């Protein structure tokens, strides 16, 4: 069959060593430099975490003195009531703080997304102020406030360590949940809610079955993120805690004075694993909701 002129030109341009394969572009020095720089940045960020995970399997008496590989540190956790109590207080506090933050942050995020106006920018400014305020300022402000509520005003619930820790940990987490829920709803059309109202549904029914259903992936993501953020609220916890309800971060701080032991690294590894599981669940929930990788990153950062 006679070849056309176009086919002849294409065959002439095809390299002899491969059929239709484009020649490889030589990597420039800038590409290599950026790749090396990226690897160095990742090592800078994660190498300390990798080290503490490795040393959690140290069988030595002190964390910095490697004596051998084993699971003695994890077994020691089961033998020390102080460690168990600190971990239990942290988990309970994180769960309560995440619940408070999710309830308040969800309502705030929905209000900002569905009732826009000048007030939204003022409110976002206040949330940003909460987010960037140094924790030491929050801690110093919370301590006399808790004392005022619990002792001067007679609200004895604020004398309880779990309540103090939960309220203190929920401040920053509430702002995070507000960002996430707003980012989820701000790009969604409100026609479904308007249609629900046109069908004579009550406002609460519309909120429960339409608005909250649309925001539910972000609500779950916000809850899990708030939970992980509340686990390591060290500075606030150190100020507002009371005797008998010492959370895990404060326990670690007190343990530094006598020398870190491998069981500290073991519990830290377990906490890290819980955090990674929570973040994976956040991504899974958002992915099941139909979000792309870019949308997942945007929702999780409140962008």
């Amino acid at each position: 069959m006679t070849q056309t002129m176009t086919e002849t030109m294409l065959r002439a341009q095809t390299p002899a060593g491969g059929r239709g394969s484009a020649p490889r572009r030589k990597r420039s020095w800038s590409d290599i430099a950026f790749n090396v720089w990226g690897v160095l940045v990742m090592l800078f960020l994660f190498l300390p975490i990798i080290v503490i995970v490795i040393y959690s399997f140290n069988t030595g008496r002190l964390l910095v003195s490697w004596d051998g590989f084993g699971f003695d540190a994890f077994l020691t956790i089961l033998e020390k009531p102080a460690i168990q109590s600190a971990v239990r207080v942290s988990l309970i506090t994180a769960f309560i703080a995440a619940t408070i933050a999710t309830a308040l942050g969800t309502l705030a995020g929905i209000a900002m997304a569905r009732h826009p106006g000048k007030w939204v920018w003022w409110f976002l400014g206040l949330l940003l102020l909460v987010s960037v305020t140094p924790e030491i300022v929050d801690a110093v402000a919370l301590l006399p406030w808790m004392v005022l509520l619990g002792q001067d005003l007679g609200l004895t619930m604020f004398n309880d360590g779990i309540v103090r820790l939960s309220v203190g940990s929920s401040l920053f987490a509430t702002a995070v949940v507000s960002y996430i829920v707003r980012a989820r709803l701000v790009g969604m059309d409100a026609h479904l809610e308007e249609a629900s109202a046109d069908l004579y549904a009550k406002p609460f029914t519309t909120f429960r079955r339409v608005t909250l259903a649309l925001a539910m992936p972000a609500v779950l993501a916000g809850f899990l993120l708030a939970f992980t953020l509340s686990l390591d609220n060290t500075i606030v916890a150190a100020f507002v805690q009371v005797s008998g309800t010492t959370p895990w971060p404060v326990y670690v701080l007190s343990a530094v004075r006598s020398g870190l032991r491998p069981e500290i690294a073991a519990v830290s590894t377990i906490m890290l694993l819980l955090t990674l599981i929570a973040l994976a669940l956040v991504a899974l929930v958002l992915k099941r909701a139909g979000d792309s990788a870019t949308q997942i990153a945007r929702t999780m950062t409140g962008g």
Side-chain angles (χ1 to χ4, degrees):
M1 184 178 293
T2 305
Q3 295 180 349
T4 63
M5 185 179 294
T6 304
E7 291 174 341
T8 304
M9 294 175 62
L10 290 175
R11 287 179 179 274
Q13 294 175 0
T14 302
R19 296 183 177 180
S21 59
R24 289 186 177 181
R25 184 176 67 88
K26 187 177 180 180
R27 299 180 65 184
S28 64
W29 66 269
S30 59
D31 293 337
I32 298 175
F34 277 120
N35 289 336
V36 173
W37 180 254
V39 172
L40 292 176
V41 170
M42 295 298 288
L43 288 175
F44 176 77
L45 293 175
F46 293 102
L47 194 57
I49 299 176
I50 295 173
V51 169
I52 201 66
V53 171
I54 293 174
Y55 270 81
S56 66
F57 297 95
N58 181 19
T59 57
R61 192 177 66 88
L62 294 177
L63 182 63
V64 295
S65 177
W66 181 266
D67 201 25
F69 183 89
F71 296 90
D72 297 353
F74 293 90
L75 297 176
T76 305
I77 299 173
L78 303 177
E79 302 172 358
K80 289 193 173 183
I83 294 180
Q84 298 174 17
S85 175
V87 173
R88 183 170 57 252
V89 168
S90 290
L91 293 177
I92 293 174
T93 299
F95 180 80
I96 298 175
T99 302
I100 296 172
T102 303
L104 298 178
T106 298
L107 296 177
I110 292 174
M112 288 188 290
R114 288 296 180 253
H115 301 282
K118 292 183 179 180
W119 74 272
V120 172
W121 302 109
W122 288 100
F123 192 73
L124 281 174
L126 292 175
L127 292 178
L128 181 62
L129 182 62
V130 173
S131 303
V132 301
T133 300
E135 281 191 89
I136 187 64
V137 177
D138 292 334
V140 172
L142 279 171
L143 180 58
W145 176 244
M146 295 293 183
V147 173
L148 173 66
L149 293 176
Q151 298 182 9
D152 298 343
L153 298 182
L155 301 176
T156 55
M157 62 178 294
F158 289 99
N159 293 328
D160 184 78
I162 296 294
V163 174
R164 287 189 174 193
L165 293 169
S166 301
V167 173
S169 300
S170 64
L171 295 179
F172 177 74
T174 300
V176 172
V177 176
S178 301
Y179 294 142
I180 293 175
V181 174
R182 178 181 178 272
R184 173 75 182 180
L185 290 179
V186 76
M188 292 185 174
D189 203 339
H191 286 335
L192 290 176
E193 291 140 306
E194 295 172 358
S196 177
D198 291 340
L199 293 174
Y200 303 103
K202 296 181 179 180
F204 181 74
T205 303
T206 300
F207 171 79
R208 181 170 57 88
R209 295 192 175 183
V210 181
T211 307
L212 195 58
L214 292 173
M216 188 53 65
V219 173
L220 295 177
F223 176 84
L224 293 172
L225 284 178
F227 179 82
T228 58
L229 290 172
S230 301
L231 281 177
D232 62 347
N233 203 336
T234 308
I235 300 177
V236 172
F239 272 75
V240 303
Q241 65 140 353
V242 297
S243 178
T245 54
T246 301
W248 174 249
V250 179
Y251 179 87
V252 173
L253 282 179
S254 62
V256 172
R257 301 170 184 172
S258 59
L260 286 176
R261 299 182 180 277
E263 55 263 25
I264 302 294
V267 178
S268 300
T269 300
I270 295 174
M271 292 287 191
L272 174 64
L273 183 61
L274 289 176
T275 302
L276 294 177
I277 292 174
L279 292 177
L281 288 175
V282 170
L284 179 62
V285 167
L286 295 177
K287 186 177 181 180
R288 292 289 295 271
D291 288 4
S292 63
T294 303
Q295 291 172 324
I296 292 173
R298 182 187 173 202
T299 300
M300 291 180 67
T301 55

